[in-house]
Amino acid sequence: MATSSSLTVSQALVGRTHHHGSTSTHTDRVSLPGFNLSSLSSSRTLKSSSSATQISRKRGGVATRSSIRAAAVETLEKTETDLVDQSVNTIRFLAIDAVEKANSGHPGLPMGCAPMGHILYDEIMKYNPKNPYWFNRDRFVLSAGHGCMLQYALLHLAGYDSVKEEDLKQFRQWGSKTPGHPENFETTGIEVTTGPLGQGIANAVGLALSEKHLAARFNKPDSEIVDHYTYCILGDGCQMEGIANEACSLAGHWGLGKLIAFYDDNHISIDGDTEIAFTESVDTRFEGLGWHVIWVKNGNTGYDEIRAAIKEAKSVTDKPTLIKVTTTIGFGSPNKANSYSVHGAALGTSEVDATRKNLGWPHAPFHVPEEVKKHWSRHTAEGASYEAEWNAKFAEYEKKYKEDAAEFKSIYTGELPAGWEKSLPVYTTESPADATRNLSQQCLNALAKLLPGLIGGSADLASSNMTLLKMFGDFQKATPEERNVRFGVREHAMGAICNGIGLHSPGFIPYCATFFVFTDYMRAAMRISALCETGVIYVMTHDSIGLGEDGPTHQPIEHIASFRAMPNILMLRPADGKETAGAYRVAVLNRKRPSILALSRQKLTHLPGTSIEGVEKGGYTISDNSTGNKPDVILMGTGSELEIAEQAGVELRKEGKAVRVVSFISWELFEDQSDEYKESVLPAAVTARVSIEAASTFGWAKLVGSKGKSIGIDRFGASAPAPKIYKEFGITSEAVIAAAKSLL
Amino acid sequence: MATSSSLTVSQALVGRTHHHGSTSTHTDRVSLPGFNLSSLSSSRTLKSSSSATQISRKRGGVATRSSIRAAAVETLEKTETDLVDQSVNTIRFLAIDAVEKANSGHPGLPMGCAPMGHILYDEIMKYNPKNPYWFNRDRFVLSAGHGCMLQYALLHLAGYDSVKEEDLKQFRQWGSKTPGHPENFETTGIEVTTGPLGQGIANAVGLALSEKHLAARFNKPDSEIVDHYTYCILGDGCQMEGIANEACSLAGHWGLGKLIAFYDDNHISIDGDTEIAFTESVDTRFEGLGWHVIWVKNGNTGYDEIRAAIKEAKSVTDKPTLIKVTTTIGFGSPNKANSYSVHGAALGTSEVDATRKNLGWPHAPFHVPEEVKKHWSRHTAEGASYEAEWNAKFAEYEKKYKEDAAEFKSIYTGELPAGWEKSLPVYTTESPADATRNLSQQCLNALAKLLPGLIGGSADLASSNMTLLKMFGDFQKATPEERNVRFGVREHAMGAICNGIGLHSPGFIPYCATFFVFTDYMRAAMRISALCETGVIYVMTHDSIGLGEDGPTHQPIEHIASFRAMPNILMLRPADGKETAGAYRVAVLNRKRPSILALSRQKLTHLPGTSIEGVEKGGYTISDNSTGNKPDVILMGTGSELEIAEQAGVELRKEGKAVRVVSFISWELFEDQSDEYKESVLPAAVTARVSIEAASTFGWAKLVGSKGKSIGIDRFGASAPAPKIYKEFGITSEAVIAAAKSLL
């Protein structure tokens, strides 16, 4: 492990770096950023120096930027740089024109990041535009998702069918493939859904983790079937978000050498110069996080610096690399560059014209010059050959390493091994009472034997969440083939990293865990799981006041309701072993819909009437002594309170009542059922209904109806032993019985 | 501004540091951490050296800890150190005994942090135990809140009435003053509510900001009425949380020189050695964040090192200081120290006995030795005299600076200036249509003139959230007297910093802003606002699909419902100017209940029938052509959809229907009304009810009833111009009319 506090920012001055054959002269092009440059395409060339001149910028008082040396650079022949300039300006103007047409969007970032974007997609990355899902592609994440026109322009040039010219013209319009932020579920070629800042870099950490894990697990000395990089562009906004620090701390800890992040250091955020709120030394922080840091001082036109930095980054294999690329936001716009006004609004007709003049761009909107088109056209053939080569390699692999290949194939195709469900433990009413968090661990460990893609862990609560896979060791820098991920106390990054894992390969089944109340720390990532259709399994224990003494800061109240309201996520609260196994079955099957399992700290008995099949319906009768679908009263509960409802049912039946007890483990699954089924569980004619759940009653009115009663907790919790809190808060079978009687 | 990336960890070797008069010899006490020390009270004394010896620890591969030099130390007379040892062990055993009695809790931190705790509360901090709210007290925050027995023990020794011996014996029991985590609303002397990791350090940043702001605004060359420090203890868990990095980046940016944070560097978290997930160099990161960093290598017995570090920290006035204190978790426990097993569980009888023997502690549980009691007893008189002195100073100030004194007094007493409500803007149906975010800005700017404690800002969206106070400049390092706070893209820290501001002085009215959807990033802090009863105003704009093109990542859907389910928070969604002004009135008046104002990006018309008085009831009729409280149908809406409901009402009335239109701006306020009032708005007999809200319908069943219909959005949003999305999603008056007709 490296010594980083001594700040030996090792910046090997790398040798020949570019991608297009040899250069005969070393020239170093230095341009000042963005104002009234009469012609960028004929950039001034100066005699070589081995490092770039530092660009002087107005940065009130912050003098920290000179300690990181820049990488050495080499340059290309003039004809080649002309073509690159053309391509870079094509990217800039596709962004300008699309934002202008939509009269909405963010032109500033694409204009500043076009050079790194061009170099990545045209010179560095391996991908197959005609099969965006080819397994061994390099991954790219635009963490600064508002700059999505950069990525749409690049996908367009690279030949992805998802972004044709007409799609660019439909930027930000209803039903288009080019929404306002990158969405993997709308646009093939987009790996992850970004926009909410900081998520993307954490997703990228998850993608890089996936590669490192799969490579360690499946590569053989004679066959490297897993071998790709993960690239990411993040901006000042991402850097400020806590999630980015969490994720990058883990990336450093894990030594994700194939993660290369470009920090678009443009000094502008929405409120103006970053000087007003962001004067830390990002370089130093990343050194502290264990990253290799390189500074490209001229990101606007310093193509060779960018190339050299990437080469250097690849040479550092034991650490992730941050390439700080100093750029000018809105580069090329004579009056708006380097200001917040170019961040998030169209330039306006006259400024578009001025920018065209300034950058020497005579073309009509959305025009791609022929030579640029021609230049990029090779990616289709190249991509096909990358894939063919890899397919051949894998065919060989499959012959030699049959078992490994089967496992690997399951991960990269998403096809679950036949019979995996049979691995789930079987519980009966005779099984010993246990906390659902413990039953969950039994399920996880059973599934791990059959599901090669199951991987995950906890945010420093593995021994409380009960999430360790006993047959595996820890995923660590030196043991990346293992499957227990130690996220530390970093819930938000944990969720986003799991999103990255889930989107890396369809057969990955990432799970992660913390106390249910701390979903508050990771909700933004969980929402993106739901939105981007990644079937992450959230194992959330200590799901109520049942956790006891830790008190109200640790006791979830509104959390169940808050997730029931969230689209495309399954909120499951199992009541015993059968329901826990059922919840895992549902969670594993729902690969495009994340699941939250709310699990108890306290022991629960296994109830007669619960079943895996019932779980799949979301709400189902667990006991009933009524006939003709006409119970006197319906009692409903979830999780740890289902047994309370059942006890109340037993008592009421003793008094001669016809009582149905219903488990509502997942409202979403119940909602998906037919009206007939719903009526069979909750007949409209029966209005005497009582619910009990140790949580906010918010939302239950829908199930208990206008005349029903809901027993729950519409206040914060308290610090005391759990049974005492249950009693004081009235979460008891006596309360259910009293409520039922009041309705009869 | 300092150059930090060069890592000039300036560590002035300070001179005489202790607190108790002079020492005649310099001796340096070095003890190895925690195992089988036969007697700590007779600590080995060695000949002096000017810096502490580095303790060698098992820290697999991480060799980054030697670059930060330790502070110079001096020591006390043996008799004095004996007394300190006694006091420190008293703290340790109060924690051990309380956890043991409760059979629940976290003894490890108090055992390790007792020395710094003792020094802070006995030697350094100014406070008045008999008036825990004395304005100019030093503030202390235990960010690692699970270690609360440390703080309870200290409050007990210091003479706070809130923590008597019987309270210690009721640790973690129902109704006690000593809950499982520190709760300001339960225990006087506790400044903020902690437990969820990372929140406390961010609260501390808010407290230190408050001091810096008030000092700059009110101190005079001849009268420093504001002058206190903010101390904080945070652990490895806090350090891993993203919120801590966000907050500490801001603290560095703002140069909060009177913030002194102790990092309890004990290398243990719940899952074991921090080596498994946390190997970054915290020192280096904090250098990058612009902090002064000191390392105390022996936090277990190195009292003088701790004292020297605090002295040095105070000498650095332009930067916050992080004192990394290397401790042994569970120090003194022969078999459990330095392991996760001592983190969060009682030691158990035999280990308690062994620890008593090991630390030479013959006393019964909860015993405080007489000499320790006597020593600490001076704080009552000392505290009273601090306060008397300050009162006298303030009386002088009041005479000389009448206006300033009145403003200041309003802030520190919480008494709002008479007639403040009159400052709210008045809107009529003739007022020009406007977005509620703009109307909100008018309200904020009007209020700022009359409310001296109004302070706040946005997470880099000031120009979108419309939150700038035009009469003030930016709160910055050099202009801390100003009131516009620039939080950068750090939502989570923003919320927690506002909690700190709100809890600093009851007259502070902190507000903060971002897009409503990004409450997901700060929800944990918002929940603590609600729990700890701080009236933070959350100005949340772009509150629906009405934001348009940015698409589903930026469009809130489930957020309104998710906050309606949260206890003790007001979720307000005003429909126009009158309701926006009313929402601010409610928000300002509710000083113990935070408010969320969900505000539109798009223009809305001012409706007839809306009113400030109506807002205060939460739900109220804005138009009605029915008689006898018997409308044919009740239409309900909130915010931007209220005008849609009203339009539908107008149309239906044209067709002869008796239609009531109700604004449900705040469900919580409506819930607080009498049954009679509720019946007057929603008569039980009228079951034809339709709601419309551009959000999840979750929860509306309670208001529309079993037979009613809810129009809303139970899916994620889309990227397109807002009117298009409204139309495609059916959020239209036509849909309301159709639903109403289906019920008639």
Side-chain angles (χ1 to χ4, degrees), chain A residues 188-209:
Chain A
T188 52
I190 301 288
E191 301 285 353
V192 300
T193 293
T194 56
L197 295 174
Q199 298 291 329
I201 177 67
N203 297 158
V205 171
L207 293 168
L209 175 154

Side-chain angles (χ1 to χ4, degrees), chain B residues 482-536:
Chain B
E482 299 291 352
R483 297 209 233 158
N484 286 303
V485 184
R486 304 291 198 161
F487 290 102
V489 192
R490 302 180 183 96
E491 298 83 7
H492 200 177
M494 175 170 74
I497 288 170
C498 283
N499 286 339
I501 297 172
L503 291 172
H504 183 276
S505 295
F508 267 129
I509 305 178
Y511 69 92
C512 63
T514 183
F515 287 170
F516 189 32
V517 77
F518 298 136
T519 51
D520 284 349
Y521 276 69
M522 58 193 300
R523 198 172 165 89
M526 296 174 78
R527 185 176 208 257
I528 290 188
S529 300
L531 176 62
C532 79
E533 301 176 358
T534 326
V536 176

Side-chain angles (χ1 to χ4, degrees), chain A residues 380-637:
Chain A
T380 298
E382 248 180 50
S385 87
Y386 287 140
E387 178 161 359
E389 212 174 290
W390 186 85
N391 286 341
K393 194 191 268 187
F394 183 67
E396 280 300 303
Y397 182 97
E398 212 169 2
K399 277 184 216 151
K400 281 198 203 165
Y401 309 106
K402 207 168 167 184
E403 277 179 37
D404 281 332
E407 279 210 354
F408 176 65
K409 217 166 172 177
S410 167
I411 292 174
Y412 91 76
T413 64
E415 207 173 298
L416 299 177
W420 66 269
E421 297 109 316
K422 297 200 186 87
S423 67
L424 282 168
V426 176
Y427 299 99
T428 70
T429 47
E430 277 73 48
S431 303
D434 208 345
T436 49
R437 62 176 169 145
N438 291 330
L439 302 165
S440 160
Q441 186 171 43
Q442 293 166 8
C443 292
L444 275 173
N445 276 275
L447 288 170
K449 289 182 194 143
L450 280 191
L451 296 176
L454 192 72
I455 181 171
S458 160
D460 195 46
L461 287 167
S463 53
S464 291
N465 302 140
M466 308 304 293
T467 46
L468 280 183
L469 303 179
K470 294 172 184 171
M471 63 194 288
F472 299 114
D474 284 358
F475 173 88
Q476 292 288 358
K477 188 174 184 174
T479 52
E481 70 281 8
E482 298 291 351
R483 294 209 234 161
N484 287 302
V485 185
R486 303 290 196 162
F487 289 101
V489 192
R490 303 181 184 94
E491 298 84 5
H492 201 176
M494 174 170 73
I497 288 169
C498 284
N499 286 338
I501 297 171
L503 291 171
H504 182 277
S505 295
F508 267 129
I509 304 178
Y511 69 93
C512 63
T514 183
F515 287 172
F516 189 32
V517 78
F518 297 136
T519 50
D520 284 349
Y521 276 69
M522 57 191 302
R523 197 170 166 93
M526 295 173 79
R527 186 175 208 256
I528 291 186
S529 300
L531 176 62
C532 79
E533 301 175 357
T534 328
V536 176
I537 302 177
Y538 290 95
V539 181
M540 297 292 143
T541 71
H542 296 61
D543 71 345
S544 76
I545 51 166
L547 73 80
E549 291 88 343
D550 276 344
T553 53
H554 285 54
Q555 291 163 354
I557 296 289
E558 69 279 17
H559 300 75
I560 299 176
S562 79
F563 287 110
R564 285 179 182 148
M566 187 181 278
N568 200 45
I569 197 163
L570 294 168
M571 175 71 243
L572 298 140
R573 191 161 183 256
D576 65 4
K578 283 169 284 177
E579 287 204 347
T580 303
Y584 271 102
R585 186 170 194 281
V586 164
V588 171
L589 284 172
N590 276 272
R591 296 289 79 233
K592 297 205 156 203
R593 203 176 184 189
S595 297
I596 305 168
L597 276 62
L599 301 165
S600 75
R601 178 193 184 199
Q602 70 271 36
K603 281 189 182 178
L604 305 174
T605 55
H606 299 269
L607 298 169
T610 55
S611 70
I612 290 183
E613 299 69 37
V615 168
E616 289 173 345
K617 299 208 180 290
Y620 67 105
T621 300
I622 65 159
S623 71
D624 195 359
N625 66 332
S626 72
T627 51
N629 203 20
K630 283 182 188 163
D632 298 326
V633 63
I634 301 173
L635 309 181
M636 330 177 183

Side-chain angles (χ1 to χ4, degrees), chain B residues 573-575 579 607 609-610 614-615 617-623 635-639 642 661-667 670 677 681 700:
Chain B
R573 190 160 183 257
E579 287 205 345
L607 298 169
T610 55
V615 169
K617 300 209 180 289
Y620 66 105
T621 300
I622 66 159
S623 71
L635 310 180
M636 330 176 184
T638 74
L642 187 62
V661 179
V662 176
S663 167
F664 267 106
I665 178 168
S666 163
W667 294 20
F670 185 70
Y677 178 77
V681 177
W700 274 101

Side-chain angles (χ1 to χ4, degrees), chain A residues 161-191:
Chain A
D161 294 326
S162 49
V163 190
K164 305 266 194 203
E165 186 179 327
E166 56 267 30
D167 299 303
L168 294 174
K169 289 178 175 169
Q170 286 297 304
F171 180 51
R172 295 188 150 227
Q173 303 309 304
W174 179 261
S176 84
K177 292 286 161 209
T178 49
H181 289 85
E183 295 168 356
N184 62 296
F185 53 95
E186 288 289 0
T187 317
T188 52
I190 301 288
E191 301 285 353

